[in-house]
Amino acid sequence: MAISKAMRAALHTLSYAANIDVGRTYKVERVLRGLRTPLSPLYQLWDRRVERDGHEVRVRIYSPKKQTDSRLLLFFHGGGWVLESVDTYNSVCRSLARKTGCRVASVEYGLAPEHTFPEGLEDCYAAAREVYRHPELFGVRSQEITLIGDSAGGNLAAAVSLMARDRGEFTVAQQILIYPATYNDHSPHTRFDSVRENGTDYLLTAKRVSDYMELYAGGDPQKLNDPYFAPLLAADLSRQPRTLVITAQYDPLRDEGEAYARALRDAGNTVMLYRMPGALHGYFSLPMRFKLVRRTYDMIDHFLNGDSAHAG
């Protein structure tokens, strides 16, 4: 799906602004994003606390007025491991609860650079372990829990699934990865064409992805090669959950997300893959009036209800 010349010009301008050094601006960006997050009275939502190594991980539960599905979606938000929060993702999680009819649990993990890899991931893992060990607290069975995340949250969901298999503490049955970050190289020399094709003029730039990853790694280049940091590097992708991967056409992360889906499938896992035409990175946070958002919820519905007709 082509983008008009006027839209391309606007995207170019906005993408230029996005190339400002995240390391200098992340605190201001967090404040600005927090100003646009009013809570809604339409849903019951409350916070639970999970203990991990002497500190608490907050988990916010969203329950729609009309809960039509007994399952739980355990959600990890995006934001490059640096920005966003459960508060800024209120609208996304409310929509997710309403459109699926499921209860949604959103995890407040530690952000970089204050909490570098693997701190945020360990927060997500601790929350998932608590939920899977005590599903009755959330009114579900363990096999009715699905991990879901977008962008950096998709990365965290994939890493939690790998960790769960490796540590043997719980089993993840399903995961939904929305334009996930799965690789460690977003330079002009990367193996993925989408970084070169979509890495300058489509809001999320390749430079910004690299900046996020540097902050997440805490400047330690060795962390970049850890498969929990970049799941596509994992030597063994067997025994992973049934997976839905959704990518965006004009996203620098598009090809690595699709490569991860293929690698999971090659390792013997059940995978559905769909590329959203005309979409940019971050589109899932747009209002429901956008067709591509509604289409994404259709894909999620098909996946949750066992429909494989859209497998790619």
Side-chain angles (χ1 to χ4, degrees), residues 227-254:
Y228 296 146
F229 184 98
L232 190 55
L233 300 178
D236 178 11
L237 287 173
S238 65
R239 294 182 291 122
Q240 286 301 279
R242 178 172 174 265
T243 301
L244 169 63
V245 177
I246 300 176
T247 62
Q249 181 180 359
Y250 297 110
D251 182 358
L253 303 184
R254 181 194 69 205

Side-chain angles (χ1 to χ4, degrees), residues 68-185:
T68 58
D69 197 302
S70 63
R71 287 170 288 196
L72 177 75
L73 305 180
L74 184 58
F75 186 83
F76 306 125
H77 66 77
W81 309 277
V82 175
L83 306 175
E84 307 296 358
S85 66
V86 293
D87 292 329
T88 63
Y89 262 71
N90 269 318
S91 178
V92 173
C93 290
R94 288 198 306 267
S95 295
L96 190 59
R98 179 169 63 86
K99 290 297 292 182
T100 63
C102 299
R103 189 172 292 173
V104 176
S106 181
V107 179
E108 184 75 293
Y109 56 89
L111 298 177
E114 296 90 343
H115 305 279
T116 58
F117 174 84
E119 288 303 306
L121 172 58
E122 291 287 1
D123 285 347
C124 292
Y125 182 85
R129 181 177 58 198
E130 182 74 7
V131 172
Y132 277 93
R133 282 181 171 178
H134 304 286
E136 70 281 356
L137 296 177
F138 302 87
V140 298
R141 296 173 297 172
S142 60
Q143 62 266 35
E144 295 175 317
I145 301 167
T146 298
L147 300 187
I148 177 171
D150 67 323
S151 192
N155 168 282
L156 292 166
V160 167
S161 292
L162 287 171
M163 264 187 179
R165 178 202 63 189
D166 295 343
R167 296 181 180 180
E169 294 184 297
F170 58 91
T171 300
V172 180
Q174 297 190 139
Q175 62 180 354
I176 299 171
L177 313 178
I178 302 173
Y179 38 76
T182 66
Y183 199 54
N184 63 353
D185 181 9

Side-chain angles (χ1 to χ4, degrees), residues 285-303:
S285 296
L286 293 172
M288 199 65 63
R289 66 177 179 272
F290 288 90
K291 183 177 179 180
L292 44 76
V293 178
R294 297 196 301 273
R295 177 60 175 158
T296 299
Y297 278 107
D298 288 343
M299 295 298 303
I300 291 172
D301 178 67
H302 284 304
F303 176 77

Side-chain angles (χ1 to χ4, degrees), residues 172-243:
V172 180
Q174 297 190 139
Q175 62 180 354
I176 299 171
L177 313 178
I178 302 173
Y179 38 76
T182 66
Y183 199 54
N184 63 353
D185 181 9
H186 300 86
S187 72
H189 307 293
T190 182
R191 58 185 272 202
F192 294 118
D193 291 338
S194 63
V195 175
R196 289 179 287 275
E197 295 169 359
N198 304 327
T200 55
D201 292 331
Y202 297 97
L203 296 185
L204 178 67
T205 65
K207 178 186 182 302
R208 196 165 182 88
V209 175
S210 296
D211 287 349
Y212 284 145
M213 287 198 158
E214 183 175 355
L215 291 173
Y216 185 41
D220 183 351
Q222 291 187 339
K223 292 182 177 180
L224 297 174
N225 295 314
D226 191 310
Y228 296 146
F229 184 98
L232 190 55
L233 300 178
D236 178 11
L237 287 173
S238 65
R239 294 182 291 122
Q240 286 301 279
R242 178 172 174 265
T243 301

Side-chain angles (χ1 to χ4, degrees), residues 17-32:
N19 272 332
I20 298 172
D21 185 1
V22 180
R24 298 203 315 266
T25 64
Y26 71 90
K27 291 183 179 179
V28 174
E29 290 193 51
R30 286 178 186 171
V31 171
L32 292 176

